[in-house]
Amino acid sequence: MNDVAPQDSSDEGGTVLSTTDSGPIPAAATDEVVRICQELLRIDSTNTGDNDTSVGERAAAEYVAAQLAEVGIDSFLTESAPGRASLLARIPGADASRPPLLVHGHLDVVPADPSEWRVHPFSGEVRDGYVWGRGAVDMKDFDAMVLALVRQWRRTGWVPPRDIVLAFFADEEAGSTYGAHHVIEHHASWFEGVTEAIGEVGGYSVSVSDDLRLYLIQTAEKGLNWMRLTARGAPGHGSMVHHDNAVAALCRAVARISAHEFPVELTPTVRRFLDEVSDAYGVPLDPEKPEQVIATLGPMARAIGATVRNTANPTMLSAGYKTNVVPGEAHATVDGRALPGHEDRFLAEIQRLAGAGVEIAYEQHQPALETDFNGPLVDAMAESLRHYDAGARPVPYMMFGGTDGKALSRLGIRHFGFAPLKLPADLDFTGLFHGVDERVPVDALRFGVQVLERFFAHC
Ligand SMILES: [Zn+2]
């Protein structure tokens, strides 16, 4: 039995991975982080969104368990379906009366086509000062930093000020059903007392000048509002006069939705972020028209531009089976993303655009999140960044996509994106997420370990 696992009769289907004796493990965390990142990248843990074709999450979780076991940390592996493994561990802190801090990462990655890459996406190769591979920034880099650090703690006997709960989830890349959602539904006792968490996507730098870098700490994320539109009409022969055509009705709905410009609405996080960007670049902010300030962010502008308004992009169409038959139904999917506090109005607006005859159902609906950028945990993030980068200016920002923070919010946990990386000024970092030639600078990995080490000492 796992002596660190919380006792909970609702826990089910897990495997306790026991500690083994370890030999000498000499490397410091800043050295080990590269090896661990490489080894994680070599485990192909592609999440296709389909349990039959997704691979490697269990191998990745077992690898993490072995890295923990080597330094005497027990862990608990749970599968939501065959192969869909997540791993939990708890590191006792000095003051057990304080709420634990959750540190979470995911072990799955999105697919990668080797023919498009300069290096093999599952090689973990170090080249030109970068570690290359699918997951290098999303998010085996952070997984490796956390593992390297906790291994160092055990080797040196260092104890964090409060308990740390480690979670390595499956299935983040397909909505977390088989990962974080499963784990909090079946093993909630692991998170008892947890009010705050750190994980992806944030803590990385955007260079303004040689001596000023914004570090984007995620305090908000847009909602996931994936919709399926269904238009119905009278089926019949394609050669006749036909006014009630489902395909035509669906196309009109999709065209209206895609042409619609949602109004700019700045939530507190986005307003503060744009004020900071405006100040850093010396470009005045017009809150009604923030595009000029957003444009200063270069390649990031497309992503940040999605955080000032709701968005709805049509993504799939299906209807019909023969050229001379008018089908009775036509379908489309829309990738909708609503701002925090906007979700009901957003759905109503999409329904108005689609028209009364078009049915809309949620395929995926996960909430938008927003938390304050203040408190001791935020102070510890800011201080640790400034300690290792005198030009650091930590700023809150809203994530355009989603993270496991959505699942954790069901337990009332505040999620912060804080996976610190000091990046080269000319690197298009956001373009690397799910992108070709995903890679992370070796120096940035080491910087992240140092910042996190200091952060944990003051958390
Ligand atoms: Zn991710």
Side-chain angles (χ1 to χ4, degrees):
M1 185 62 205
N2 187 339
D3 61 358
V4 294
Q7 302 298 306
D8 179 353
S9 57
S10 75
D11 277 8
E12 57 190 54
T15 312
V16 175
L17 300 159
S18 66
T19 304
T20 55
D21 272 344
S22 58
I25 306 151
T30 45
D31 295 326
E32 245 197 356
V33 67
V34 177
R35 171 188 64 80
I36 295 172
C37 188
Q38 287 183 285
E39 289 173 359
L40 278 170
L41 291 172
R42 287 179 192 135
I43 301 168
D44 175 358
S45 52
T46 297
N47 183 354
T48 59
D50 174 357
N51 283 358
D52 293 335
T53 52
S54 294
V55 293
E57 287 169 338
R58 177 149 190 141
E62 286 175 347
Y63 169 83
V64 172
Q67 293 295 311
L68 294 173
E70 207 177 3
V71 293
I73 300 170
D74 288 342
S75 57
F76 177 80
L77 186 147
T78 177
E79 280 191 336
S80 53
R84 310 302 310 260
S86 296
L87 194 81
L88 297 161
R90 189 176 183 115
I91 297 172
D95 183 354
S97 71
R98 293 184 57 202
L101 175 68
L102 173 63
V103 179
H104 65 102
H106 62 82
L107 293 170
D108 60 322
V109 298
V110 294
D113 178 353
S115 70
E116 297 173 339
W117 285 54
R118 277 189 271 168
V119 305
H120 195 283
F122 300 108
S123 67
E125 192 176 321
V126 174
R127 188 194 284 191
D128 305 329
Y130 287 80
V131 187
W132 297 63
R134 172 60 81 222
V137 300
D138 184 11
M139 60 173 297
K140 289 176 172 175
D141 55 342
F142 182 73
D143 297 332
M145 289 184 219
V146 171
L147 279 173
L149 259 184
V150 301
R151 283 164 59 86
Q152 178 175 281
W153 296 351
R154 279 304 162 106
R155 289 197 297 268
T156 59
W158 189 81
V159 175
R162 54 165 153 165
D163 286 11
I164 303 290
V165 175
L166 299 179
F168 297 90
F169 293 122
D171 198 33
E172 194 278 337
E173 296 294 0
S176 312
T177 306
Y178 293 95
H181 283 295
H182 173 88
V183 172
I184 65 164
E185 282 161 19
H186 296 268
H187 306 289
S189 61
W190 278 86
F191 307 100
E192 220 168 274
V194 173
T195 59
E196 298 167 323
I198 64 163
E200 65 172 356
V201 172
Y204 56 91
S205 66
V206 172
S207 294
V208 178
S209 63
D210 285 350
D211 51 9
L212 177 58
R213 272 164 295 283
L214 304 178
Y215 281 81
L216 276 55
I217 295 171
Q218 191 219 120
T219 55
E221 50 187 76
K222 289 181 87 179
L224 197 67
N225 312 78
W226 292 355
M227 290 169 277
R228 181 172 164 86
L229 276 54
T230 302
R232 293 200 171 80
H237 202 296
S239 66
M240 298 183 195
V241 173
H242 210 102
H243 295 298
D244 187 17
N245 184 319
V247 175
L250 185 87
C251 289
R252 287 193 294 270
V254 167
R256 282 192 296 267
I257 290 167
S258 68
H260 183 69
E261 178 113 343
F262 289 90
V264 169
E265 298 184 72
L266 305 183
T267 74
T269 298
V270 177
R271 178 62 202 252
R272 178 147 174 207
F273 174 70
L274 293 177
D275 280 336
E276 295 274 9
V277 174
S278 161
D279 181 65
Y281 287 93
V283 175
L285 173 69
D286 176 352
E288 316 267 290
K289 289 196 180 95
E291 283 77 8
Q292 209 190 339
V293 168
I294 293 171
T296 59
L297 294 165
M300 271 197 85
R302 285 178 63 219
I304 296 298
T307 67
V308 302
R309 50 164 58 94
N310 300 320
T311 53
N313 283 308
T315 48
M316 297 200 287
L317 291 169
S318 72
Y321 49 88
K322 196 166 185 301
T323 306
N324 63 352
V325 178
V326 177
E329 281 189 11
H331 305 276
T333 60
V334 172
D335 183 351
R337 309 279 176 146
L339 294 167
H342 285 239
E343 293 177 274
D344 292 344
R345 268 184 292 156
F346 177 64
L347 182 61
E349 183 71 353
I350 296 288
Q351 183 68 73
R352 185 189 67 76
L353 291 165
V358 175
E359 253 175 50
I360 300 180
Y362 273 132
E363 263 190 351
Q364 272 267 14
H365 182 206
Q366 296 193 39
L369 308 176
E370 187 158 32
T371 189
D372 293 339
F373 189 59
N374 59 33
L377 200 72
V378 170
D379 294 343
M381 293 178 207
E383 194 280 333
S384 54
L385 284 168
R386 289 198 198 98
H387 184 83
Y388 286 102
D389 182 357
R393 190 190 290 183
V395 298
Y397 91 112
M398 180 183 287
M399 174 59 185
F400 27 90
T403 70
D404 281 331
K406 293 190 191 309
L408 298 170
S409 74
R410 294 169 62 190
L411 299 175
I413 297 172
R414 294 171 78 196
H415 163 79
F416 295 91
F418 185 62
L421 294 172
K422 184 183 174 190
L423 298 169
D426 57 353
L427 182 70
D428 173 12
F429 183 65
T430 44
L432 296 176
F433 280 76
H434 302 190
V436 168
D437 291 335
E438 186 177 347
R439 61 198 184 279
V440 65
V442 169
D443 289 348
L445 278 177
R446 296 195 169 125
F447 172 86
V449 167
Q450 290 179 309
V451 171
L452 285 173
E453 181 178 23
R454 190 170 177 89
F455 163 77
F456 283 121
H458 296 95
C459 75

